[in-house]
Amino acid sequence: MRLAAAILAAALAVAGPARAQEAVEVAATPIERFDAGTPVGARYGELVFLGGLKLSSRDPDFGGLSGLRLSADGRSFTAISDRGNWFRGELGYDGSRPTGLTNVTRSPTPGRDGRPLQGRRGFDTEGLEIDGRTAYVSSERAQWLTRYALDADGRPDGRGRAVALPKDAASAPHNAGFEAIAVAPDGGILMIAEKHLDADGDNRAFVVGAKAPFSFAVRRTGDFSPTDLVRLPGGGYALLERRFRPPFSLHVRIRKLEERDLRPGAIVDGRVLMEASLGQTIDNFEAIAAHREGGSTVLTVLSDDNFSALQRTLLMQFRLAD
């Protein structure tokens, strides 16, 4: 027992403390137009453009941001990168316009064994949901859903715990699993696959971790793939989707799904709130969050730059039009 304890202690020492955090300085360049005809305050689709930021940092671990959640007032954020880093900080505003990030910290996300996920192959942390003092993280390569208790600073408080997935979910294709997760209406987590298709070519979806788990499907149209999901403060869900056709064709779309349509065996569709291409200011948007501001719902989208010099980390905000 003493030898085993010594080996475990040595392994944890090599891995580093799972809860260590470091300050990260992030520069923000304002984005004043979504496209030539859409300045701040103008309508685009069913949304109103509120402004955006191009984010950059000298920290080599800043980037790859694939999951995002904001506090109820939109002032605090939590983001996760596909390398297993956990980011926390504050989002500043001038009125309704985002101006920059402050007090940003980075810490490693612990795995189910308590050791940091950072640098470990096969996990590719993608989806993030926060429900009170509990967080959920999806990994689309390992096809895992992991639950974390959060400490008072909003960081994982110890090792993650597995959330059981049905066989049909765990068998999702490599690198095409569950980037889109959100809290379900009646408890548990709603998961929509990026490209795990049923016999009709629609995206498989599941409610897991609930008293009555079930499966359904989300209608796949235009070859768009779900990349994130958020439950809206006023009810329903905003589904972020992406279509990439190499080498230079990129489209993003946001659809609204209604809660009343979520039931076992259903095929759920939703109206398009906006669709954009490279004619607009977009990048590889993989994260979406929602909060209330002045009685309106604000959507925030964030791009994953894949740690590539050819891509950008963009944060864009839109208000649902009245």
Side-chain angles (χ1 to χ4, degrees):
M1 292 298 292
R2 290 181 178 178
L3 178 60
I7 292 173
L8 177 59
L12 291 175
V14 171
R19 288 170 49 77
Q21 65 174 331
E22 296 184 26
V24 178
E25 185 174 344
V26 179
T29 302
I31 297 171
E32 305 290 345
R33 291 179 175 272
F34 190 52
D35 61 16
T38 313
V40 170
R43 183 164 176 155
Y44 187 88
E46 295 192 29
L47 306 178
V48 174
F49 178 55
L50 298 179
L53 302 170
K54 177 184 175 183
L55 305 174
S56 60
S57 176
R58 293 182 179 179
D59 187 321
D61 284 320
F62 181 80
L65 303 176
S66 301
L68 176 71
R69 286 295 181 259
L70 299 183
S71 58
D73 62 1
R75 302 281 170 173
S76 300
F77 75 87
T78 303
I80 193 168
S81 82
D82 50 23
R83 289 184 179 175
N85 284 306
W86 190 273
F87 291 90
R88 293 269 296 158
E90 305 298 321
L91 180 56
Y93 294 88
D94 179 6
S96 298
R97 183 183 304 189
T99 57
L101 306 186
T102 58
N103 301 321
V104 180
T105 61
R106 169 178 50 79
S107 56
T109 306
R112 296 178 180 178
D113 56 4
R115 296 188 296 116
L117 287 176
Q118 184 180 16
R120 297 165 69 178
R121 296 174 60 85
F123 287 93
D124 194 13
T125 45
E126 292 281 352
L128 171 68
E129 177 61 300
I130 296 176
D131 185 17
R133 294 285 291 271
T134 302
Y136 297 85
V137 173
S138 64
S139 305
E140 70 164 350
R141 295 178 189 266
Q143 309 303 354
W144 281 9
L145 179 66
T146 304
R147 182 179 65 250
Y148 295 92
L150 298 179
D151 64 16
D153 294 324
R155 295 185 296 140
D157 189 12
R159 68 180 61 194
R161 305 293 179 182
V163 178
L165 300 182
K167 182 178 180 181
D168 285 347
S171 63
H174 179 75
N175 202 32
F178 299 92
E179 295 191 20
I181 67 172
V183 66
D186 297 323
I189 293 295
L190 193 163
M191 309 171 63
I192 303 175
E194 179 183 3
K195 200 171 184 180
H196 182 26
L197 308 182
D198 63 14
D200 295 321
D202 294 318
N203 295 296
R204 295 177 184 267
F206 302 85
V207 170
V208 301
K211 292 182 179 180
F214 64 90
S215 64
F216 61 103
V218 174
R219 182 75 69 191
R220 186 181 182 89
T221 60
D223 201 31
F224 278 87
S225 295
T227 59
D228 203 6
L229 181 73
V230 65
R231 192 177 186 189
L232 301 174
Y237 292 83
L239 175 65
L240 178 65
E241 299 176 298
R242 173 192 60 214
R243 182 180 70 211
F244 176 59
R245 293 174 177 168
F248 302 119
S249 177
L250 175 65
H251 286 71
V252 297
R253 183 172 75 175
I254 299 175
R255 279 195 287 170
K256 184 179 180 185
L257 308 182
E258 301 296 341
E259 292 185 17
R260 63 176 178 271
D261 297 331
L262 305 179
R263 59 185 185 277
I267 301 175
V268 180
D269 205 341
R271 77 178 192 273
V272 175
L273 300 179
M274 78 89 149
E275 182 177 332
S277 68
L278 291 175
Q280 286 72 47
T281 307
I282 67 168
D283 212 291
N284 181 37
F285 288 131
E286 289 200 358
I288 189 168
H291 73 278
R292 297 285 285 180
E293 192 273 327
S296 298
T297 296
V298 175
L299 299 178
T300 302
V301 293
L302 183 65
S303 65
D304 174 0
D305 68 352
N306 290 307
F307 298 96
S308 168
L310 301 178
Q311 295 178 261
R312 301 165 295 174
T313 299
L314 301 182
L315 183 150
M316 311 289 278
Q317 288 195 326
F318 301 86
R319 174 173 57 81
L320 279 171
D322 297 330

